[in-house]
Amino acid sequence: MPDIQTILDQMTLEEKAALITGATVWTTVPVERLGVPAMMMTDGPHGVRRSSDVNAIGKGTLPATCFPTASCLASSWDTALLRQVGAALGEEAAALGVDVLLGPGANMKRDPRCGRNFEYFSEDPFLAGQLAASFIQGVQSQGVGTSLKHFAANNQETERFRIDAVVDERTLREIYLPAFETAVKEGKPWTVMCAYNKLNGVYCSENHRLLVEILKEEWGFDGLVVSDWGAVHDRVMSLQGGLDLEMPGPQTRRTQAVIEAIQSGALDEAVLNEAVRRILGIIFKAAETPKGRALSASRSKGGAFDAAAHHAFARQVAGEGIVLLKNNGLLPLQQPRRIAVIGRAAKEPHFQGGGSSHINPTMVDSPFDELRKLAGDAGLTYSAGYPATPALDPALIAEAVAAARAADVALLYCALPGFIESEGYDRADLSLTPPQVALIQAVCAAQPNSVVILNNGSALTMGEWLDGPAAVLEAWMMGQAGGGAIADVLFGKVNPSGKLAETFPLTLTDTPAYINFPGGAGQVRYGEGLFIGYRYYDATARPVAFPFGFGLSYTAFAYSNPRLSAETFNDVDGLTVSVDVTNTGHVAGQEVVQVYVHDWKSGLVRPPKELKGFAKIALQPGETKTVAIPLDFRAFAYYHPGYGQWITEDGEFDILIAASAADIRCTLAATLRSTLKLPCILNRESTVREWLADAAGRVAFDPMYRMIKSRTAAMFGGEESDGIGMDPTGFMMEMPLLSLLQFQEGGLPMPADAIVDLLLQRAHELAAQ
């Protein structure tokens, strides 16, 4: 790699200002006299959406493999598989002359109505972070960079270009940032893409706290920050906020604004130099890979990759992500003679979402054709079942019912249409379309041996029809080879092993963000705080249709011999959780072992349990394997905004070994010893309860406590008196110590504020020892 500083020193102000904004929709500005090439970026994340025209957003994209979207990938719970998917995408990107693939998306599924949820992994930050890191590692193993997006709190499409996401610091740190943090630290993406929205009043593209203090300084990110396309409002402010590269280009006025700001002294040239340094580093990292050298002269023509092999792999991946939600024994199909195939999605596969991730596939499997290949001598009929529009068509339903009655089994393919779920807008509800619901109800009434196959990007409600079918498959937006993967699962060639990476609620009104989503008047308040997804359903004891981590199999698994590496441990040492898992059925299968942690007592409220580890294993019939899952410091810590850091506290924890968030197989107890030496954060506003809870504060305050307690009781007529109908001690505990002393100031040797200041001084001295 050339010496970046030497090149930077030789660049003119005009060249540097030009480099930080794109040359075209997809490329950076080259500096030919210094040997700085252009860098090509393109949309992902589940396929390479490479435009043949660098000045066009969406037309003329080159063929590439459309892998399953993130919802399906996440349901595999398989980090090794995500790494393989990433490597395949990286290979295709390299073949098509792409330097940076824009993905993965690590935003949380705060609300299932978000239209872009199909591009995101999970409602859980630990799972999303592990999958994102693996995906990044895979892509970048091929010499192609990634762009981790959309940073941060981009959890809805409604007003996404301007909405102000108002999120408290603890919720931000524990829910909306950890997946990005894990992906940055473990995946080491070349680029991070800022989100369109504001975060707590500041556009993410200008948010110094987010882009510099947290991402670059705290997490040590050494790549470049790129804007989402069109997310920059003020180039000088965004540069000061830590945004290195604006896309798309050209933006002549933006470039000139940077030059003028430096010339006038409004912008320090060192800020510009830092952005240029980061951009040059990634440009040359891309250019020096085999892909860069091989394709730099002919990148616009595209290259070659093994499309057939990648299609076959996409089929395997889709099979890993399909979730069996219900099965009364009908699946796998046992050589039915007559199969009624119903639903437009059987012949018009709904395998990807709309928007920037829309791929021009190399080929597409028809679910109906793939069924025919595996059905042997069975006769197949096809009925459209529902129209392409939301209008109800009784004739289509009648035709489907007749076909179902005449068959041994009915297979209903129902896809949530793009006019309901897509990038650019959010869903109004969580239901299938009325024609689809009516179709399922009518067909299942006529044919009990019915299977519903779903294609959608996020959770659905099914209360209107779930009792009807014998089986339900969640096949997601399953990629171009998903039609074959569905057939594989239906006929038992593949034993389903997918587990939900998001909760399926009973009703929309049950969802955590229901009253806060999507906000209005340019602002959305994350009023549910930490409690999204299963954290909320656990905390409120609210029943769900299908819990986080749930998924059925054609076999069964027994958990035994749970154990911990230690019963008492230091937080920095962590724990290893082990359990034996046995396939007790008659067919090979895969199980996802999940580990949740429950804190018995904490200084701040915590969710009842949180996912902190998982592992996917394959077992033959009768086979037993030991699964060992490590838990580190962060598995037991929570973010304390008062201390401004992740903290642990001495105490008891339950380690829950589970098959889903609602299926706890083993519970073990462990005692944590915190090694942290925390500063005293008491202040003039601290309550009596907070003084007593703080180790140093209690020592400093204890000599006065009994006297103050007695005086407070006397204020209300004595401890044994009914007084004014309240408990004096309870009243006292919630008062700031200063306020309490001010009520008693007439009997004190000095002013209340002086006493509190002396106590604070003593407490801080003790904490520092």
Side-chain angles (χ1 to χ4, degrees):
M1 179 181 290
D3 185 77
I4 301 299
Q5 188 60 49
T6 299
I7 293 174
L8 180 57
D9 290 342
Q10 295 174 355
M11 293 178 72
T12 67
L13 174 58
E14 289 73 19
E15 287 170 335
K16 289 187 289 187
L19 185 66
I20 65 168
T21 298
T24 69
V25 172
W26 302 112
T27 61
T28 59
V29 173
V31 186
E32 295 178 358
R33 74 177 186 87
L34 296 176
V36 179
M39 181 171 68
M40 167 72 72
M41 293 165 278
T42 197
D43 279 322
H46 48 266
V48 182
R49 198 177 73 87
R50 166 73 157 87
S51 177
S52 58
D53 180 357
V54 295
N55 293 300
I57 286 282
K59 67 178 183 180
T61 56
L62 302 176
T65 306
C66 180
F67 285 93
T69 70
S71 296
C72 185
L73 295 177
S75 295
S76 74
W77 289 63
D78 191 333
T79 54
L81 184 70
L82 268 287
R83 203 170 288 111
Q84 289 178 274
V85 171
L89 288 166
E91 182 185 338
E92 293 195 17
L96 296 172
V98 171
D99 294 308
V100 175
L101 186 69
L102 303 178
N107 296 101
M108 289 295 94
K109 295 188 176 183
R110 175 181 177 240
D111 190 290
R113 288 171 287 180
C114 174
R116 208 170 182 179
N117 271 354
F118 65 89
E119 282 193 60
Y120 303 140
F121 291 120
S122 180
E123 68 188 31
D124 182 81
F126 180 83
L127 177 59
Q130 295 298 315
L131 297 174
S134 297
F135 179 97
I136 290 165
Q137 291 164 359
V139 174
Q140 295 185 172
S141 71
Q142 304 301 303
V144 172
T146 54
S147 195
L148 178 66
K149 62 183 188 180
H150 305 90
F151 192 60
N154 183 179
N155 305 108
Q156 63 188 64
E157 295 300 282
T158 303
E159 299 184 28
R160 65 171 173 160
F161 281 84
R162 67 157 192 170
I163 196 76
D164 181 14
V166 181
V167 192
D168 71 86
E169 181 71 7
R170 186 178 173 210
T171 296
L172 191 66
R173 292 288 192 157
E174 292 195 26
I175 301 296
Y176 296 100
L177 293 186
F180 288 98
E181 181 182 2
T182 298
V184 165
K185 291 180 176 179
E186 297 183 14
K188 301 187 184 306
W190 292 7
T191 81
V192 169
M193 182 190 294
C194 82
Y196 286 122
N197 53 280
K198 300 185 190 86
L199 177 60
N200 294 327
V202 181
Y203 278 112
C204 290
S205 61
E206 301 170 4
N207 200 310
H208 189 273
R209 169 82 174 140
L210 186 67
L211 302 183
V212 177
E213 295 173 35
I214 294 176
L215 176 63
K216 294 179 178 179
E217 295 177 353
E218 185 179 324
W219 297 350
F221 174 65
D222 60 2
L224 70 85
V225 176
V226 62
S227 71
D228 202 341
W229 268 230
V232 172
H233 299 265
D234 183 308
R235 190 62 189 101
V236 174
M237 289 183 66
S238 66
L239 194 59
Q240 292 171 323
L243 185 96
D244 303 305
L245 176 62
E246 177 187 5
M247 294 297 291
Q251 299 279 359
T252 305
R253 287 188 299 169
R254 300 277 177 87
T255 300
Q256 187 59 35
V258 171
I259 294 171
E260 291 173 0
I262 289 175
Q263 290 173 336
S264 69
L267 176 65
D268 188 342
E269 191 168 356
V271 175
L272 173 62
N273 289 343
E274 172 63 9
V276 171
R277 183 190 66 78
R278 287 175 177 268
I279 294 169
L280 289 174
I282 299 304
I283 287 174
F284 282 112
K285 183 180 287 190
E288 293 202 346
T289 62
K291 170 267 310 171
R293 288 196 296 270
L295 294 171
S296 59
S298 60
R299 63 196 313 152
S300 64
K301 300 176 183 177
F305 55 89
D306 192 336
H310 282 195
H311 184 78
F313 178 50
R315 180 169 180 156
Q316 174 198 335
V317 174
E320 295 271 349
I322 290 174
V323 182
L324 180 59
L325 294 177
K326 178 182 178 181
N327 186 23
N328 71 358
L330 179 62
L331 297 182
L333 297 174
Q334 302 297 320
Q335 298 180 325
R337 292 179 299 121
R338 297 165 298 176
I339 302 173
V341 182
I342 299 167
R344 303 182 70 87
K347 285 196 173 182
E348 301 171 18
H350 186 64
F351 59 92
Q352 63 177 322
S356 61
S357 68
H358 201 79
I359 305 303
N360 177 12
T362 57
M363 58 189 87
V364 179
D365 282 348
S366 159
F368 183 85
D369 293 343
E370 296 303 318
L371 282 173
R372 190 184 295 281
K373 292 175 185 177
L374 297 184
D377 296 331
L380 273 66
T381 61
Y382 169 74
S383 307
Y386 58 88
T389 69
L392 189 65
D393 189 332
L396 290 179
I397 294 177
E399 178 189 18
V401 167
R405 282 202 181 102
D408 300 315
V409 63
L411 305 177
L412 293 96
Y413 288 76
C414 293
L416 204 59
F419 60 78
I420 288 179
E421 181 181 37
S422 170
E423 177 183 351
Y425 42 87
D426 294 318
R427 292 156 66 185
D429 56 51
L430 302 184
S431 302
L432 291 172
T433 66
Q436 290 169 336
V437 171
L439 172 69
I440 294 171
Q441 291 171 332
V443 168
C444 291
Q447 176 53 269
N449 290 329
S450 294
V451 182
V452 174
I453 300 103
L454 300 168
N455 294 126
N456 48 284
S458 191
L460 293 169
T461 53
M462 308 178 196
E464 297 172 282
W465 54 265
L466 185 58
D467 289 341
V472 178
L473 278 184
E474 176 54 86
W476 308 108
M477 296 176 184
M478 70 288 191
Q480 66 181 50
I486 293 170
D488 291 338
V489 170
L490 290 173
F491 284 99
K493 286 189 64 178
V494 168
N495 186 352
S497 61
K499 301 263 192 171
L500 294 178
E502 57 195 285
T503 306
F504 278 41
L506 287 171
T507 69
L508 172 60
T509 55
D510 286 339
T511 55
Y514 175 67
I515 61 173
N516 290 301
F517 183 96
Q523 188 177 84
V524 56
R525 294 185 176 275
Y526 285 41
E528 67 282 358
L530 304 173
F531 297 93
I532 73 166
Y534 68 88
R535 288 166 168 80
Y536 171 79
Y537 298 110
D538 282 352
T540 57
R542 194 176 296 269
V544 300
F546 300 105
F548 176 82
F550 174 83
L552 300 174
S553 172
Y554 294 153
T555 188
F557 302 95
Y559 291 54
S560 62
N561 193 24
R563 52 210 183 271
L564 300 175
S565 56
E567 292 184 358
T568 301
F569 66 102
N570 292 335
D571 51 10
V572 292
D573 297 329
L575 275 182
T576 297
V577 184
S578 300
V579 67
D580 297 340
V581 182
T582 302
N583 182 344
T584 59
H586 302 290
V587 295
Q590 298 183 83
E591 173 68 330
V592 177
V593 179
Q594 303 159 42
V595 174
Y596 299 84
V597 170
H598 165 68
D599 189 352
W600 272 99
K601 184 179 180 181
S602 58
L604 298 179
V605 65
R606 300 187 72 174
K609 66 174 180 288
E610 296 180 280
L611 180 75
K612 297 299 180 181
F614 63 91
K616 190 169 189 176
I617 55 167
L619 295 167
Q620 294 297 315
E623 184 181 10
T624 298
K625 286 183 179 177
T626 297
V627 177
I629 297 174
L631 302 178
D632 62 10
F633 175 94
R634 283 283 287 270
F636 302 94
Y638 66 90
Y639 190 86
H640 196 300
Y643 293 109
Q645 69 181 78
W646 291 86
I647 72 164
T648 56
E649 298 167 325
D650 293 343
E652 305 298 317
F653 286 82
D654 281 339
I655 310 301
L656 311 172
I657 304 171
S660 81
D663 185 6
I664 310 301
R665 299 296 182 90
C666 315
T667 301
L668 299 169
T671 301
L672 178 142
R673 291 187 298 246
S674 177
T675 60
L676 293 180
K677 186 172 178 59
L678 294 170
C680 176
I681 58 172
L682 294 173
N683 56 55
R684 279 190 164 205
E685 294 185 348
S686 296
T687 64
V688 172
R689 185 183 302 281
E690 289 169 334
W691 276 90
L692 294 174
D694 185 273
R698 186 179 186 95
V699 173
F701 176 51
D702 196 57
M704 289 192 65
Y705 174 58
R706 190 174 298 276
M707 178 196 71
I708 292 173
K709 183 178 179 182
S710 176
R711 284 176 174 271
T712 302
M715 286 169 57
F716 297 102
E719 293 190 21
E720 304 301 323
S721 170
D722 287 340
I724 58 173
M726 67 164 62
D727 171 29
T729 301
F731 176 83
M732 175 183 74
M733 286 293 179
E734 303 309 323
M735 287 189 72
L737 177 58
L738 177 58
S739 299
L740 183 64
L741 291 177
Q742 285 171 339
F743 276 104
Q744 305 174 12
E745 200 161 35
L748 298 176
M750 63 179 71
D753 55 354
I755 293 175
V756 171
D757 288 342
L758 286 172
L759 291 174
L760 285 170
Q761 180 181 347
R762 177 60 177 152
H764 284 271
E765 289 172 351
L766 288 169
Q769 292 176 359

